Amino acid sequence: MIKTLSELEELLPLSPEEKEAFERVSSVYPFSSSEYYIRLARKSEAVRKMVLPSLEEIDEDVQSAGEDDPLNEERDSKVPNLTHRYPDRVLLITTNYCPVLCRYCMRKRNWKRPTFTISEDEVEGALSYIRSNPQVRDVLISGGDPLTLPLDLLEKVLLELKKLPHVEVVRIGTRVPVVDPERVLRRDLLFLIERSEKVWVNTHFNHPDEITPEAKEAVRALLKCGAPVNNQTVLLKGINDSVETLEKLFRNLQKIKVRPYYLFHCDPVKGVIHFSTSITRGLEILKELFKRLSPLAIPYYAVDGPGGYGKVPLLPHRFRVENGKYLFESFNGKWFVMEDR
Ligand SMILES: *Cc1c(COP(=O)(O)O)cnc(C)c1O
């Protein structure tokens, strides 16, 4: 991994402003990237913005407008590393390690902590919670990035979950196919995913520039193991908050058989607010996307309620009710009426 300014500059020439930002910001919010992703940043302004520190992160307004843990993941934690918010699904945090530190990260609070990986005992604790809560049918494994876990640990988690009949779905949330795709192509990892049978993979592509031949190959390997691949995008100001960029992203994801699942509104996280686009603008973009794309290529636009209220998907207004009748707006802007029978 590339962590220092001099390592970075060997691969990516920086402007004086970028250099200053690196020097002033990285002691508060560290820098880390794979070599692959830095090479991508050479060709992509969007990638550059997602990976390089900027002075805005430590700007007073950006700092004071956000919270460390707005979603109360830690308060709602039932056993260490496990958040049980919705009745039927739990979130398991397995590590805080990510090969690339994305500047808009919702778990930026964890960057300052020493790297942690869930211990065998904590895995056992989480598993026994899941065992004794048969209403849990869906386990989200997240981090940090679970695809960076030691394979024997990931194996223990996945194969134990496989044994539990009430756990029907296991989701792995990962950005490795985007930021270090070669890492996905390990035979033992792919074989594990295949054997565990219940695994769905959620990738995290934010921009069409990230859909490279290497990323495509990583996705294809996952699909071959029988894991459905869905994608979560964050709506990011100056990176993907335009109809054209998102249209291209979602079309190109569908082309590699990745289903766009969520488009997240940026969470009000400390040091991240400068990436936030308004909800009104998000809905405007979405409305236009619905005119251009099949819903198969459109994710749910969702806010994650600050305070731990959970996610709420948003749809742009395409109808209104008048005198007991529904008026609908069609894809090409024509209105039609239907009785509410
Ligand atoms: C996002 C999330 C889930 C999964 O929600 P889906 O809408 O099913 O993707 C589960 N638990 C927590 C705490 C979450 O934040």
Side-chain angles (χ1 to χ4, degrees):
M1 293 304 126
I2 314 296
K3 288 183 186 293
T4 66
L5 183 58
S6 58
E7 288 165 341
L8 173 61
E9 282 193 300
E10 272 178 39
L11 292 167
L12 184 73
L14 299 184
S15 70
E17 294 76 34
E18 286 170 333
K19 211 165 148 165
E20 188 203 343
F22 190 107
E23 280 164 342
R24 286 180 50 197
V25 175
S26 61
S27 55
V28 188
Y29 296 119
F31 167 85
S32 174
S33 178
S34 62
E35 210 176 301
Y36 166 88
Y37 204 59
I38 291 300
R39 289 186 197 284
L40 204 55
R42 292 210 281 230
K43 297 176 281 185
S44 165
E45 197 52 39
V47 169
R48 215 178 168 101
K49 284 186 193 162
M50 285 187 271
V51 73
L52 292 185
S54 90
L55 288 175
E56 286 165 296
E57 294 170 50
I58 53 170
D59 180 274
E60 233 169 80
D61 293 339
V62 170
Q63 281 287 310
S64 58
E67 291 175 52
D68 274 333
D69 181 16
L71 307 182
N72 280 339
E73 290 181 322
E74 284 167 31
R75 194 201 60 191
D76 293 350
S77 180
K78 294 291 188 288
V79 289
N81 310 306
L82 194 92
T83 305
H84 191 179
R85 177 164 300 143
Y86 308 108
D88 66 332
R89 45 216 201 272
V90 294
L91 170 69
L92 177 65
I93 301 288
T94 50
T95 174
N96 67 345
Y97 177 75
C98 279
V100 172
L101 292 172
C102 308
R103 307 318 295 183
Y104 57 84
C105 178
M106 63 173 292
R107 301 203 180 106
K108 225 167 175 169
R109 65 175 185 276
N110 288 343
W111 290 14
K112 288 165 227 169
R113 299 183 185 175
T115 311
F116 95 90
T117 298
I118 194 169
S119 68
E120 297 249 355
D121 285 350
E122 287 165 332
V123 167
E124 213 25 77
L127 286 168
S128 68
Y129 179 86
I130 296 167
R131 275 187 210 109
S132 52
N133 283 272
Q135 76 277 25
V136 174
R137 67 175 292 273
D138 185 346
V139 178
L140 274 81
I141 302 175
S142 187
D145 205 306
L147 290 194
T148 65
L149 288 175
L151 211 63
D152 51 347
L153 194 68
L154 187 62
E155 178 171 307
K156 178 173 168 74
V157 175
L158 294 183
L159 296 186
E160 286 299 317
L161 290 174
K162 182 180 174 178
K163 287 185 200 157
L164 304 179
H166 65 278
V167 174
E168 297 163 350
V169 174
V170 174
R171 293 191 245 174
I172 295 178
T174 176
R175 200 157 145 76
V176 167
V178 182
V179 297
D180 202 1
E182 212 175 298
R183 229 180 147 127
V184 175
L185 303 176
R186 286 171 295 162
R187 217 172 269 251
D188 44 3
L189 172 65
L190 292 168
F191 184 50
L192 171 62
I193 291 175
E194 186 172 0
R195 260 188 310 159
S196 50
E197 287 173 22
K198 298 173 183 175
V199 171
W200 293 50
V201 173
N202 275 352
T203 55
H204 179 26
F205 290 90
N206 286 322
H207 194 278
D209 290 348
E210 294 175 331
I211 307 177
T212 61
E214 293 88 341
K216 181 179 170 179
E217 201 180 321
V219 164
R220 196 152 70 161
L222 291 166
L223 290 167
K224 263 190 163 168
C225 303
V229 182
N230 288 260
N231 187 69
Q232 311 194 148
T233 298
V234 184
L235 181 62
L236 297 167
K237 189 195 266 173
I239 293 170
N240 63 12
D241 61 338
S242 80
V243 175
E244 287 66 32
T245 304
L246 288 180
E247 180 181 1
K248 189 169 175 195
L249 173 64
F250 300 148
R251 282 192 193 282
N252 290 353
L253 283 172
Q254 204 187 13
K255 211 151 108 182
I256 62 168
K257 295 190 180 160
V258 175
R259 171 87 146 96
Y261 171 47
Y262 269 130
L263 172 65
F264 285 122
H265 189 72
C266 199
D267 291 321
V269 170
K270 199 188 260 296
V272 168
I273 302 285
H274 55 298
F275 285 111
S276 194
T277 302
S278 73
I279 297 171
T280 307
R281 176 70 190 134
L283 281 167
E284 248 172 47
I285 295 173
L286 206 67
K287 185 163 185 173
E288 187 55 33
L289 289 174
F290 268 102
K291 293 180 185 170
R292 300 185 184 194
L293 295 170
S294 156
L296 262 181
I298 299 187
Y300 290 103
Y301 177 42
V303 298
D304 209 340
Y309 289 93
K311 299 178 183 76
V312 179
L314 306 174
L315 276 174
H317 285 296
R318 296 279 293 277
F319 73 91
R320 54 177 197 268
V321 187
E322 268 175 28
N323 308 322
K325 288 177 187 173
Y326 277 78
L327 281 84
F328 294 100
E329 188 184 2
S330 72
F331 74 97
N332 53 7
K334 292 182 180 149
W335 286 81
F336 61 95
V337 184
M338 273 182 81
E339 302 277 345
D340 190 19
R341 273 195 271 267

